[in-house]
């Protein structure tokens, strides 16, 4: 599991991106790149990274479910994800 501080930092970035999204769009449309430079670094959506909602794992993220591949497999085998079954042929 990721440290709580790492998960909190990612949540903080998400809030900041949402807060400055409208202002960022206006500055981009106007072509005011100096104004964009003055905004906080973490307000850029490029700095966001997908992480597992439960464990905070940054790699092997499954966008459809919002969790990592490891947790997905455990939950699917336990029957906690509706409509997901193990393939056998």
């Amino acid at each position: 599991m990721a440290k709580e501080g790492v998960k909190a930092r990612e949540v903080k970035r998400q809030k900041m991106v949402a807060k400055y999204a409208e202002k960022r769009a206006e500055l981009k449309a106007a072509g005011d790149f100096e104004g964009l430079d003055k905004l906080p670094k973490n307000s850029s959506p490029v700095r966001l990274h997908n992480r597992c909602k439960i464990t905070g794992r940054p790699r092997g993220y499954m966008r459809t479910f919002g969790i990592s591949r490891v947790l997905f497999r455990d939950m699917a085998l336990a029957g906690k994800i509706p409509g997901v079954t193990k393939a056998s042929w």
Side-chain angles (χ1 to χ4, degrees):
M1 280 184 62
K3 292 180 180 177
E4 291 301 315
V6 174
K7 290 195 268 185
R9 192 180 319 140
E10 197 63 35
V11 170
K12 185 178 175 183
R13 282 189 187 127
Q14 289 172 350
K15 287 179 184 175
M16 194 169 284
V17 166
K19 179 180 177 183
Y20 285 97
E22 191 175 315
K23 188 170 187 176
R24 183 171 279 281
E26 290 172 7
L27 290 172
K28 267 190 177 179
D32 184 10
F33 298 108
E34 289 179 11
L36 278 171
D37 277 347
K38 292 178 182 174
L39 292 177
K41 283 184 182 179
N42 284 335
S43 68
S44 174
V46 174
R47 292 177 66 97
L48 290 177
H49 195 275
N50 290 329
R51 286 186 172 271
C52 175
K53 303 289 184 225
I54 300 168
T55 61
R57 181 182 168 86
R59 295 182 175 192
Y61 177 79
M62 298 182 79
R63 189 174 292 192
T64 312
F65 301 97
I67 56 177
S68 68
R69 61 177 178 80
V70 178
L71 200 63
F72 173 79
R73 186 169 191 272
D74 290 341
M75 291 176 76
L77 289 174
K80 294 181 180 175
I81 302 176
V84 176
T85 56
K86 188 172 186 222
S88 60
W89 61 88

